[in-house]
Amino acid sequence: MKAVIMAGGKGTRLRPLTSNTPKPMVPLLDRPVMEYTIELLKQHGITEIAVTVQYLPEMIRSYFGDGSDFGVQLHYFEEDSPLGTAGSVKNAEEFLDETFIVISGDALTDFDLTQAIEYHRHKGSIGTLILTHVDSPLEFGVVMTDDDGQIIRFLEKPSWGEVFSDTVNTGIYILETDVFSYFDRGQVFDFSQDLFPLLMAQDQPLYAYVADGYWSDIGNLTQYRETQFDMLDRKVNIAMPGTEIAPGIWTGEHVKIDQDVILQSPCFIGSDCILEPHVTLEPYSIIGEGSILGRNTSLERAVLWRNNLVALGAEVKGATLCQNVIVQSGAIVHEEAIVGDGCQIGTKSIVQPGVKIFPNKIIDHHTTVKHSFIRGDRLSKNLFGQSGVNGTCNVDLTTNFANRLALAYGTTIPAGEAVGVSHDSSPFAALIANVFLSGLHASGIHTYHFGSMTSSLSRHAVHHSDCAGGIHIRALTEGSDTQFVIEFLDDAGLPLRKNAERKIENAYVQEDSRLIHPSKVGRARTAPNVRLQYREHLLSLVGNRSIESQGYTVVLEYDYRNLQQIIPELLEILGCKVIQLNRVTSSPDELASWVTSSKADFGIRLDANGQQIDVVTDQGEVISESMLSILQIMIQLNHSDHPELHVPVNISHSAEILAAQMGRLVIRTKADSRSIMEGCQNQGFHIYSDGLYTLVHLMQLMADKNLRLSQLVDSIPDFTLLKEKVECPWADKGKVMRFLMEETKGKQVELIDGIKIFHDEGWTLILPDSEEPMFQVFANAGNHQTAKKLAMTYAQKIHDYRQRVLSRPISVAIQ
């Protein structure tokens, strides 16, 4: 059998490690990661190997040559431009004249390839994907199979709601040459996004093999370090480089270690290193070939590449140094810091935790480096959360960060386009908005400054303008003056799709910025009166006469700073008598007492962003969140005659009952913000995310049906929708989803978002939270007791899986 090693990756998420080094050449214990891949193939009798290269290919060629020094024969195939994973392998089609295996040159594994090949041949598969179990499946392709191992579903880089298992695609494939007939040479084509879905659509035998053993894709800086620590802990079955001179202490050749050096296992010291007196190597220290550690230096969980000098009394704690770095006397490099090739850290300087210094920078003596040189400073998680980019005022959400983010965002939009920018009433949000305006102008993007408003008004303004996108900055939670979010909108005023978010993240990490001629700098355009447009458009949708004739009395509570310029005039036009409360209640129950005592028609409490709404009936009943969702469905049914109604997956089955009464079909959507808003989009309005839109249309619904709000609620069929939150560590989420999928075999299940199990009494939805280490369990039934039983049953299952089942070994038997 022949093999293809894919070695063309740039490894942008590993920068500055990969600024001058292709990802397959990044060292693990002083040897390129691709060398371990070659050793694995040779171990299983595969010595004829194609290598696809693109980024810095000569560095790979010069190290490995024709492969003879490593006991194999290497044949190189270079891409002039990216062709995708399958497209790059297509270049080697003439060489690959028999069944072949595709494997990454930038991952570490000890899988039994021989057993996987036997499985492939036994199944008669056109392609076999080698899978493994991981703690966090978000950055991989999640694969589901039937009982025979045939693939039935494949999701590339899923959201948490799409994670139905912790079993993921490792990027190792065993393929027949027939696959080449499905696409042309020079065509951009990807295995997971293009070829495998095509094979499944044509009912070709595509199987999955779940491998035992170790696998790490080294996808980020943390994983890069942890992989080497796993090697020292012997968690991966490889031939360790060097000699074990004491338990857990490995060294290369010609190492000079003074007798007063303190070595704590496990650790690794490469060839030709010099350790002077009183050096201390604490556990998990890794020293590359030719490095020198001066007197009294101290290393703790440090990773050093080749030819580094750590001088007298310097300390490296939990950091990574690339090659040819000089850390001068008394300097300290702290946890998670990365220092690129050829850098010099001055005497008694301090590199703070998390700082990334790109190659060939010189840090002056007695300097404290608090911010990354050139590149971004967010290492621990993705930029985007559920609502946008979140941060703490002047901690991680700073003007410097906002400027870099604005420049990165600008590169994803064609020069000369326009972006709308708005913010809430807080001074800090206005400050960040102004930084975004400047950054976008510097990227050649024109702007409309919509000013102070809510997210709903901003979405409407972007939808009805010539904007290519929008930015809205606001406090993340009501009453907070420290936590803020930057919301990104597309040209329709909707939250960005995930692929658009990733483009911005990649541009931010790589510090991409567009070079603009001074004559092409973006300009501030005159913004229309977006509040007036919103109000007039909203009124035109309902026609205010039917509401005005009712003369509703409304008890109203809202944040006047963000909403005062639109609510009073809007309700005056609608003929409402308003009893305004200036944030005097602390709960909906207090609002209810005001409604009953004043004999009002209903009460409304809006959050500071005008997005969430609490509603109280004329009888003083606080309408639950689930009941409000049904009222919003009734509004949509009343307002539109479209045959289809898009409803989030976590809303009660009463939606189907009400829709059927009016001859409509319910289409369930995911429960993330983008999917919900896209499903209920109405000319720039979004009922589930716009309290004013809900308020006005609720009054119209009451007027059209000539019912009081309490009577309207009583007309809705009885139901109960409960929600339980179950804590679960991130590392266990995928495992729990896999076991739930196994447990629900043979049951009626829906996999739109999370796992929805249908019962005779109703349904249960298990939805992994995208931002917190927990699950949300929704239970829908005709009464509270049944719903509570369903919710608690599946909450308990999650607890049981974590405590008893998660350690169960999973194996694949060849029958």
Side-chain angles (χ1 to χ4, degrees):
M1 179 175 283
K2 295 180 179 179
V4 181
I5 295 178
M6 303 195 67
K10 291 184 177 181
T12 54
R13 290 186 296 166
L14 289 179
R15 290 183 179 177
L17 303 186
T18 53
S19 294
N20 301 326
T21 303
K23 190 179 176 186
M25 296 299 295
V26 167
L28 299 178
L29 301 189
D30 219 21
R31 295 169 61 187
V33 58
M34 181 172 150
E35 190 172 334
Y36 295 98
T37 302
I38 291 174
E39 286 294 323
L40 179 68
L41 292 172
K42 186 174 68 171
Q43 177 185 339
H44 291 277
I46 303 171
T47 58
E48 287 289 323
I49 303 169
V51 182
T52 63
V53 294
Q54 184 193 18
Y55 178 62
L56 302 176
E58 288 308 315
M59 188 174 290
I60 297 174
R61 284 194 181 100
S62 64
Y63 184 89
F64 291 105
D66 63 4
S68 57
D69 291 344
F70 301 88
V72 298
Q73 289 296 313
L74 300 181
H75 308 265
Y76 296 94
F77 299 87
E78 185 172 350
E79 298 174 70
D80 295 326
S81 60
L83 294 173
T85 52
S88 65
V89 173
K90 179 81 171 182
N91 284 339
E93 182 175 4
E94 288 75 15
F95 170 76
L96 300 170
D97 54 2
E98 60 184 40
T99 304
F100 62 95
I101 185 168
V102 177
I103 191 168
S104 173
D106 51 26
L108 181 69
T109 183
D110 59 7
F111 289 161
D112 188 336
L113 301 181
T114 299
Q115 187 175 2
I117 293 166
E118 291 175 356
Y119 176 89
H120 169 84
R121 288 172 172 159
H122 174 78
K123 292 294 186 181
S125 177
I126 191 174
T128 297
L129 283 66
I130 297 182
L131 312 182
T132 192
H133 302 302
V134 297
D135 291 338
S136 180
L138 295 186
E139 292 302 316
F140 308 102
V142 174
V143 179
M144 293 173 56
T145 66
D146 61 18
D147 292 337
D148 191 43
Q150 189 158 359
I151 295 173
I152 57 175
R153 189 165 187 179
F154 189 96
L155 288 168
E156 185 68 11
K157 289 184 171 58
S159 64
W160 268 116
E162 297 171 314
V163 173
F164 307 114
S165 173
D166 65 341
T167 309
V168 302
N169 176 17
T170 65
I172 306 175
Y173 313 127
I174 305 166
L175 302 172
E176 299 299 323
T177 57
D178 295 349
V179 299
F180 290 126
S181 65
Y182 287 87
F183 58 103
D184 299 325
R185 182 183 293 273
Q187 180 180 359
V188 178
F189 215 68
D190 188 82
F191 281 122
S192 57
Q193 295 183 15
D194 301 311
L195 178 61
F196 297 148
L198 181 60
L199 294 176
M200 292 171 63
Q202 296 191 13
D203 293 324
Q204 292 295 318
L206 191 66
Y207 281 82
Y209 174 82
V210 182
D212 293 321
Y214 183 90
W215 177 78
S216 172
D217 80 323
I218 314 177
N220 56 54
L221 294 164
T222 299
Q223 189 64 37
Y224 169 70
R225 293 169 50 78
E226 292 296 332
T227 298
Q228 293 179 87
F229 299 159
D230 289 345
M231 295 168 75
L232 291 176
D233 284 335
R234 309 310 308 274
K235 291 181 180 180
V236 53
N237 183 22
I238 58 166
M240 290 286 286
T243 302
E244 191 173 17
I245 63 171
I249 298 176
W250 299 81
T251 67
E253 298 178 346
H254 313 299
V255 175
K256 296 181 180 180
I257 303 176
D258 188 88
Q259 62 180 2
D260 291 325
V261 168
I262 298 174
L263 302 179
Q264 300 181 39
S265 67
C267 66
F268 173 85
I269 305 166
S271 299
D272 299 309
C273 286
I274 299 174
L275 279 63
E276 295 184 352
H278 306 294
V279 167
T280 299
L281 292 191
E282 296 196 25
Y284 301 102
S285 293
I286 298 165
I287 318 300
E289 178 182 333
S291 294
I292 300 174
L293 304 185
R295 288 174 175 265
N296 299 312
T297 56
S298 172
L299 272 63
E300 177 185 346
R301 295 180 70 89
V303 177
L304 275 60
W305 290 13
R306 298 185 174 193
N307 303 319
N308 288 303
L309 170 62
V310 182
L312 175 69
E315 300 178 20
V316 182
K317 301 180 177 181
T320 302
L321 310 185
C322 296
Q323 58 191 5
N324 302 312
V325 174
I326 298 175
V327 181
Q328 298 188 7
S329 60
I332 303 175
V333 186
H334 281 287
E335 291 80 3
E336 300 297 328
I338 313 290
V339 182
D341 297 341
C343 288
Q344 296 182 32
I345 310 299
T347 301
K348 293 189 177 179
S349 292
I350 298 174
V351 179
Q352 295 281 33
V355 166
K356 291 193 282 186
I357 303 176
F358 275 61
N360 304 312
K361 301 296 180 290
I362 298 176
I363 308 301
D364 289 338
H365 304 310
H366 306 280
T367 299
T368 298
V369 185
K370 297 180 179 179
H371 302 288
S372 296
F373 264 39
I374 305 300
R375 295 303 194 259
D377 55 3
R378 291 193 172 199
L379 304 178
S380 61
K381 63 177 183 179
N382 294 333
L383 283 178
F384 283 85
Q386 190 169 6
S387 303
V389 177
N390 304 342
T392 303
C393 169
N394 285 328
V395 177
D396 53 359
L397 184 51
T398 63
T399 54
N400 184 40
F401 167 73
N403 182 62
R404 294 201 299 271
L405 183 58
L407 290 171
Y409 175 49
T411 65
T412 67
I413 300 172
E417 294 284 355
V419 167
V421 179
S422 60
H423 53 85
D424 69 12
S425 62
S426 63
F428 184 76
L431 173 65
I432 298 299
N434 285 325
V435 173
F436 256 85
L437 291 168
S438 299
L440 290 170
H441 291 164
S443 296
I445 306 298
H446 304 301
T447 61
Y448 292 106
H449 190 184
F450 294 143
S452 175
M453 58 178 57
T454 65
S455 298
S456 303
L457 270 70
S458 183
R459 289 192 292 266
H460 182 269
V462 170
H463 182 88
H464 290 280
S465 67
D466 60 348
C467 291
I471 296 292
H472 183 70
I473 300 102
R474 64 175 176 87
L476 184 59
T477 56
E478 188 167 9
S480 170
D481 57 359
T482 59
Q483 297 295 314
F484 285 80
V485 60
I486 304 171
E487 297 179 335
F488 287 76
L489 308 175
D490 66 10
D491 58 352
L494 294 169
L496 293 184
R497 297 183 186 276
K498 290 298 180 185
N499 60 349
E501 291 180 351
R502 288 193 178 102
K503 286 181 180 179
I504 297 171
E505 286 181 343
N506 290 337
Y508 177 85
V509 169
Q510 299 174 46
E511 192 80 1
D512 283 351
S513 59
R514 184 185 287 129
L515 292 176
I516 293 296
H517 188 275
S519 64
K520 299 295 184 181
V521 169
R523 308 290 179 85
R525 294 180 174 176
T526 302
N529 188 335
V530 294
R531 297 173 191 80
L532 179 62
Q533 285 185 347
Y534 175 93
R535 187 187 75 196
E536 295 303 316
H537 191 188
L538 178 56
L539 290 172
S540 72
L541 292 179
V542 296
N544 54 309
R545 291 186 179 178
S546 60
I547 299 174
E548 187 178 1
S549 65
Q550 299 293 322
Y552 290 124
T553 298
V554 184
V555 177
L556 179 64
E557 187 172 5
Y558 68 94
D559 189 323
Y560 70 94
R561 294 170 299 178
N562 291 329
L563 295 165
Q564 65 176 336
Q565 297 185 49
I566 186 167
I567 285 185
E569 289 187 9
L570 177 66
L571 294 179
E572 182 181 352
I573 293 171
L574 291 171
C576 295
K577 177 184 175 182
V578 178
I579 302 172
Q580 184 170 326
L581 308 179
N582 294 320
R583 283 293 187 247
V584 299
T585 70
S586 59
S587 69
D589 289 334
E590 288 187 40
L591 176 64
S593 66
W594 280 87
V595 172
T596 53
S597 63
S598 60
K599 295 182 170 50
D601 292 291
F602 55 88
I604 297 291
R605 188 177 193 269
L606 291 163
D607 71 352
N609 194 36
Q611 189 159 293
Q612 302 300 321
I613 183 172
D614 294 322
V615 182
V616 175
T617 72
D618 51 289
Q619 298 298 313
E621 178 187 1
V622 178
I623 293 180
S624 66
E625 182 180 350
S626 56
M627 179 61 74
L628 178 61
S629 297
I630 299 302
L631 287 173
Q632 289 168 326
I633 287 170
M634 294 178 68
I635 288 169
Q636 293 177 83
L637 291 169
N638 185 63
H639 184 74
S640 170
D641 57 1
H642 195 278
E644 293 180 351
L645 178 68
H646 291 80
V647 176
V649 69
N650 57 344
I651 286 182
S652 165
H653 72 286
S654 298
E656 278 81 2
I657 297 173
L658 294 171
Q661 292 173 354
M662 301 185 68
R664 312 284 182 81
L665 176 66
V666 168
I667 305 296
R668 292 286 182 168
T669 72
K670 295 179 181 179
D672 63 278
S673 298
R674 164 86 193 192
S675 299
I676 291 173
M677 290 189 203
E678 196 170 23
C680 68
Q681 168 88 283
N682 181 22
Q683 302 179 56
F685 296 100
H686 312 90
I687 190 168
Y688 298 114
S689 305
D690 189 340
L692 288 181
Y693 183 90
T694 295
L695 168 60
V696 172
H697 282 78
L698 182 60
M699 288 191 287
Q700 184 197 30
L701 182 64
M702 293 164 56
D704 288 348
K705 294 185 175 294
N706 196 26
L707 294 174
R708 306 200 74 184
L709 183 53
S710 58
Q711 295 171 325
L712 193 62
V713 171
D714 289 342
S715 70
I716 297 173
D718 290 337
F719 74 94
T720 300
L721 180 63
L722 299 182
K723 180 170 70 173
E724 295 284 341
K725 294 182 179 181
V726 184
E727 293 183 359
C728 179
W730 290 106
D732 291 349
K733 277 188 175 182
K735 298 181 181 70
V736 168
M737 292 297 281
R738 168 161 55 91
F739 287 118
L740 282 169
M741 286 299 299
E742 292 177 359
E743 197 272 347
T744 56
K745 284 182 179 179
K747 298 180 181 179
Q748 184 183 354
V749 174
E750 186 177 76
L751 302 177
I752 295 172
D753 200 7
I755 303 174
K756 193 173 190 178
I757 306 110
F758 291 90
H759 318 278
D760 292 339
E761 308 92 341
W763 52 255
T764 310
L765 172 66
I766 298 94
L767 193 61
D769 194 276
S770 61
E771 292 193 334
E772 300 291 335
M774 69 176 186
F775 284 91
Q776 297 182 46
V777 179
F778 296 86
N780 181 206
N783 59 72
H784 186 275
Q785 183 178 359
T786 303
K788 185 70 173 179
K789 180 180 178 181
L790 291 174
M792 295 307 298
T793 295
Y794 279 89
Q796 188 61 48
K797 285 181 184 292
I798 294 172
H799 285 299
D800 291 345
Y801 289 145
R802 285 193 55 218
Q803 294 173 8
R804 295 187 289 104
V805 188
L806 292 180
S807 61
R808 186 182 70 187
I810 304 296
S811 60
V812 174
I814 300 176
Q815 300 178 348

